[in-house]
Amino acid sequence: MTGASGFVGQNLQKHLKDRPWKALSRNPSGSGLSYAEFWKQNDLSFRHYIHLAGKAHDLKKTSGEQDYWEANYELTRKLYDRFLKDPHAETFIFISSVKACADRVTGWLREETPCAPETVYGKSKRKAEEYLLDNLPEGKRVYILRPCMIHGPGNKGNLNLLYAFAQKGFPYPLAAFTNERSFLSVDNLCWVMLRLMEKDIPSGIYQVADSGVFSTDELIQMMAASLGKPARLLKIPAGLLRAAARVGDRLRLPLTSERLQKLTESYKVSNEKLLKALGDDLPLTARQGFEKTFEAFKG
């Protein structure tokens, strides 16, 4: 497994407690392997390759484009080439992203939606997907998973910002925006990966999302309920907020145009293909997943 020390990797380790596994990283700890050691030792063999490592969005804008290509494409290509040569390897699971297909969505995002990523993050993930799809082997299974926004214990990001509003009793100022978004519990994602190692379904791209969509207002209401507090929703005119966000862009304030878009845009992701292939529902409902996440936020 690559990316074992990341958010998804740490949660996956809990689900792998009864299974032997090996971490592969640049700076391994314990019994892990470094990439350099792994590339040199041609006799090392594994049944399942789980590739979680990669470079996500850099909100601080400190990374260059080459960093994304190295982490998201070159590393994936090199690891996949090793998988193809491994005589005992059966399954390759690559964690891509819905952003490898589209940064903005009209209606529902599906696997057959034409891809047009706009950011170097999305483009580098899409390039890695294309490399895998162009080299699908016989007798082995290759799964490209496109998760939407993942949440769970240890989560960091915009969901934490929303929770802070509810926790401190601040009124949520973006209630004038109406949206519908898909989310993904990290426990459901880990369950999917375990099932893919056990179940023989066709190789290819599968979107991963909890069933159901939520507006940001609904999230605030659920967060407030988990804290035993009333939800405070403030409907400031959308035009005024967009103008404030542009000021935030220049002055590096918490509210920027990018963050405003992420908090208020609609992004609906279909999981129909995955659920049909697995022949089962996800273990947690979307609300159960959020309840677990919000409980972890209380810390």
Side-chain angles (χ1 to χ4, degrees):
M1 181 199 337
T2 68
S5 62
F7 165 53
V8 175
Q10 290 183 23
N11 280 275
L12 182 58
Q13 289 181 47
K14 301 172 188 175
H15 293 261
L16 293 172
K17 58 185 179 181
D18 297 324
R19 298 167 178 256
W21 61 275
K22 183 76 71 174
L24 180 64
S25 64
R26 287 187 175 85
N27 301 300
S29 59
S31 60
L33 279 172
S34 71
Y35 291 124
E37 291 174 315
F38 185 61
W39 307 141
K40 290 178 182 177
Q41 299 184 40
N42 293 321
D43 58 333
L44 286 176
S45 185
F46 301 97
R47 286 182 61 198
H48 307 292
Y49 286 59
I50 303 176
H51 184 33
L52 307 176
K55 184 164 185 60
H57 290 289
D58 179 15
L59 297 179
K60 296 182 179 179
K61 312 295 185 184
T62 60
S63 300
E65 290 194 5
Q66 190 59 31
D67 295 328
Y68 288 94
W69 289 108
E70 289 289 342
N72 295 336
Y73 172 66
E74 294 294 348
L75 178 59
T76 303
R77 179 187 60 79
K78 198 168 184 178
L79 185 65
Y80 188 63
D81 286 347
R82 179 61 177 266
F83 164 78
L84 294 177
K85 296 175 182 177
D86 188 335
H88 302 292
E90 299 175 5
T91 313
F92 190 95
I93 299 174
F94 170 50
I95 299 299
S96 182
S97 168
V98 289
K99 295 303 178 73
C101 187
D103 287 272
R104 287 180 288 273
V105 175
T106 300
W108 286 88
L109 184 71
R110 304 183 188 279
E111 286 81 357
E112 61 269 21
T113 300
C115 290
E118 299 176 17
T119 65
V120 65
Y121 168 72
K123 291 175 181 177
S124 58
K125 284 287 190 180
R126 179 56 182 165
K127 183 71 173 178
E129 290 184 357
E130 291 172 339
Y131 186 80
L132 270 60
L133 294 171
D134 289 342
N135 296 278
L136 291 177
E138 292 186 8
K140 296 184 178 185
R141 305 193 306 277
V142 179
Y143 303 116
I144 298 168
L145 300 185
R146 286 180 182 163
C148 57
M149 184 185 289
I150 309 170
H151 64 88
N155 176 82
K156 295 179 181 179
N158 287 321
L159 206 60
N160 302 61
L161 181 63
L162 288 177
Y163 191 80
F165 270 92
Q167 193 173 42
K168 295 176 181 179
F170 294 157
Y172 177 65
L174 310 181
F177 293 86
T178 57
N179 63 346
E180 292 181 309
R181 290 192 64 96
S182 295
F183 296 88
L184 174 61
S185 162
V186 71
D187 286 324
N188 280 342
L189 175 59
C190 291
W191 178 85
V192 167
M193 288 189 279
L194 293 180
R195 289 299 301 272
L196 291 177
M197 289 190 285
E198 301 165 350
K199 198 173 180 68
D200 186 9
I201 70 172
S203 296
I205 294 174
Y206 292 89
Q207 296 183 163
V208 195
D210 292 343
S211 298
V213 294
F214 294 87
S215 68
T216 307
D217 288 1
E218 288 175 312
L219 285 183
I220 291 290
Q221 290 167 351
M222 286 192 290
M223 290 173 179
S226 74
L227 293 162
K229 296 182 178 182
R232 302 180 65 190
L233 302 175
L234 186 60
K235 293 188 176 182
I236 299 174
L240 183 60
L241 286 169
R242 292 191 181 98
R246 289 193 292 271
V247 173
D249 295 338
R250 295 193 298 271
L251 301 181
R252 297 183 179 181
L253 300 176
L255 182 63
T256 63
S257 296
E258 182 179 2
R259 178 161 282 169
L260 180 64
Q261 179 185 342
K262 288 181 180 296
L263 289 171
T264 60
E265 68 182 352
S266 290
Y267 203 109
K268 299 190 294 182
V269 179
S270 170
N271 63 10
E272 292 178 5
K273 179 183 176 182
L274 176 66
L275 296 187
K276 183 177 180 180
L278 292 175
D280 206 350
D281 290 328
L282 298 171
L284 294 180
T285 66
R287 285 187 178 274
Q288 288 171 334
F290 277 125
E291 288 169 1
K292 186 171 182 177
T293 295
F294 299 156
E295 190 63 31
F297 280 172
K298 293 178 182 178

